[in-house]
Amino acid sequence: MTKAGSVDHEDLTRILFGASAFHLLHAGCELGLFTRLFEEGPLTTEQVCAGLKLEPRAAQILLLGTTSLGLTACHSRRYLNAELIDSMISDGTWSIIEDIVRFQERIAMPAAADLVEALRQNTNVGLRRIPGEGGDLYHRLASQPELEALFYRCMRSWSRLSNPVLVDRADLSGVSRVLDVGGGDGVNAIALAEANPGTSFTVVDMPGALDIAERRIAERGLGDRIAVRAGDIFTDDFPAGHDCVLFANQLVIWSPEQNAALLRKAFDCLPPGGQVLIFNAFSDDTGDGPLYAALDNVYFATLPAPNSTLYHWGQYEEWLRGAGFRRVERLPGGTWTPHGVLRAWK
C-alpha cells in the first residue's frame, strides 16, 4: 500500500510554527537586519545590537530565528545573509519582497485567521477585517485611503515580481491596441508598452486605482500611448477599437460564472482574429501543487471576493472555449512563481 504525503518532523515543525517563521522574516525586514548585514556584514551579535538598537536578548531571539530558518548564517560568531537575500538586495528585487511581506502582515494575515470559517461558508469571511461597504476588498479599500495606497503599492511590487513572465510570454507582434481590463495602477500596461513600442493601451479600472495609474504613466512619459478609462468591468461595455484584451491578475478574483462572462465580453468586443491574454498564477491541473499556489490561495479564500481562487489551467481553457475562442495556447512562465499566460484567438 502506497503511503500518501512525505512530511517529516522538520516539515511539521515549519508548518506548525509557520506564522512564527513569517513574523521573524517580517521583523528582520522592519528592523533593517538584512540591509545592514548586506552593507556591513558579517557582524557579531554586539554589532547587530548596536546597529539595530536592540538589547542582547532581543537580538539573540531575532538572530536565532533568522539563522534557523536559513535567512541568515553564522560563521565564526559573525552573522551574514543567505546568498539569495544578498543577490536580491544587489539586483533591487529585495524591495519587492519587503513590500510583499508588508502586504502579508497588514492585509493578508489578519484575514487568514478566518480561513476555517471562510471554508465552512465558502466565501471571503476575512473581509470583515476591513472596515467599509461592499462585498469585495476593492470596494472596501475605497473608504480606507491609507490601506488602499498600501494595497496598490504592494500589488505593483507583486506585478514587478511576475511581470518578466508577462513581457516574455505575451507576444504583441501585429497588435495595435490592447485593452487592459482591471489594469490597476497601470504596472502591466507600462511594462508591455515599454517592451512593445508599436502598441498602445487602454487601462480600465475603478477611479482609485486609475489616479495612481495616470501618475505613473506620466512619470514614464507614456501618456501618448496609454489611456485610462474609469468603469465597472462587469456592468460597463468594454471600449471598442482594440485587437487584444488583457486580463492580468484579474480572473483569480471572480467566480467561474463571472470569469466566463468577462471572457464573453472580451470575445464580443474583439474583431475577427483578435486575441485575449490571461496572465496570473495558476494551480496545476493535477490538483497537488505548486506550493506557492496552495499557500497563496489562503489569501484568495479569505479576502478579495466571495469566489476568489487560483484556478488551474484547464478551467480557463474551458471558459475560453465556452466564450467562443477556438485556438488556445498555454505559455507557462518557468520561474519560481507559478505565473504564466494563456493566449486565445477569436
Side-chain angles (χ1 to χ4, degrees):
M1 180 176 176
T2 302
K3 293 183 178 180
S6 58
V7 66
D8 60 20
H9 285 91
E10 184 72 14
D11 297 326
L12 184 59
T13 298
R14 286 179 175 270
I15 296 168
L16 185 62
F17 295 100
S20 298
F22 170 79
H23 286 301
L24 285 162
L25 171 62
H26 176 251
C29 292
E30 292 299 303
L31 293 169
L33 172 65
F34 306 116
T35 302
R36 189 163 292 273
L37 289 178
F38 175 78
E39 295 173 347
E40 302 175 11
L43 299 177
T44 65
T45 302
E46 292 74 21
Q47 289 170 323
V48 170
C49 286
L52 304 188
K53 297 181 172 56
L54 295 177
E55 294 296 326
R57 170 185 170 276
Q60 288 170 7
I61 291 171
L62 176 63
L63 292 168
L64 173 62
T66 59
T67 304
S68 296
L69 290 168
L71 299 168
T72 56
C74 184
H75 299 296
S76 302
R77 297 183 179 276
R78 290 178 177 270
Y79 292 88
L80 64 159
N81 286 329
E83 290 183 9
L84 175 63
I85 292 178
D86 274 348
S87 68
M88 295 183 82
I89 295 175
S90 293
D91 66 20
T93 55
W94 186 246
S95 63
I96 296 174
I97 300 300
E98 289 184 319
D99 270 348
I100 293 173
V101 168
R102 292 184 184 103
F103 173 87
Q104 292 292 100
E105 192 270 335
R106 287 285 309 278
I107 297 174
M109 289 201 74
D114 291 320
L115 177 61
V116 171
E117 198 59 30
L119 295 176
R120 283 179 174 149
Q121 297 188 32
N122 194 33
T123 192
N124 57 332
V125 174
L127 188 64
R128 63 187 178 185
R129 309 284 177 168
I130 309 294
E133 300 294 329
D136 62 67
L137 176 61
Y138 312 96
H139 287 89
R140 294 281 178 101
L141 288 173
S143 63
Q144 305 287 322
E146 181 182 352
L147 199 61
E148 183 181 48
L150 173 66
F151 176 83
Y152 283 112
R153 189 185 87 203
C154 293
M155 288 297 102
R156 180 171 179 270
S157 289
W158 232 308
S159 294
R160 286 174 56 209
L161 182 68
S162 57
N163 264 348
V165 172
L166 174 62
V167 172
D168 182 61
R169 296 294 189 267
D171 181 4
L172 297 182
S173 302
V175 173
S176 61
R177 192 166 192 88
V178 176
L179 179 65
D180 184 3
V181 178
D185 67 355
V187 62
N188 298 300
I190 289 170
L192 287 171
E194 291 178 338
N196 298 273
T199 307
S200 298
F201 298 78
T202 303
V203 178
V204 176
D205 211 322
M206 298 173 65
L210 294 182
D211 291 342
I212 304 171
E214 288 184 307
R215 184 170 67 251
R216 296 198 181 282
I217 291 165
E219 288 171 354
R220 302 307 287 258
L222 292 168
D224 60 332
R225 291 179 50 217
I226 305 179
V228 300
R229 177 167 171 173
D232 187 303
I233 64 173
F234 290 104
T235 60
D236 296 334
D237 292 335
F238 287 173
H242 302 83
D243 51 353
C244 179
V245 177
L246 170 66
F247 295 98
N249 299 311
Q250 186 65 212
L251 301 187
V252 293
I253 301 170
W254 313 113
S255 70
E257 294 76 17
Q258 289 171 308
N259 286 343
L262 288 171
L263 290 171
R264 286 195 298 269
K265 288 183 69 172
F267 184 88
D268 291 342
C269 83
L270 284 169
Q275 60 182 281
V276 62
L277 298 171
I278 299 172
F279 168 68
N280 47 238
F282 295 85
S283 62
D284 294 337
D285 291 325
T286 50
D288 57 1
L291 180 61
Y292 180 112
L295 298 182
D296 198 19
N297 234 0
V298 173
Y299 162 71
F300 287 101
T302 56
L303 193 56
N307 295 283
S308 304
T309 193
L310 293 182
Y311 299 99
H312 62 75
W313 293 85
Q315 288 172 286
Y316 290 104
E317 291 169 338
E318 180 182 343
W319 300 329
L320 284 164
R321 293 190 175 98
F325 294 96
R326 295 303 174 208
R327 180 182 164 199
V328 183
E329 181 181 15
R330 286 191 190 191
L331 300 165
T335 66
W336 69 275
T337 71
H339 289 82
V341 172
L342 269 172
R343 186 180 187 183
W345 285 263
K346 180 173 179 177

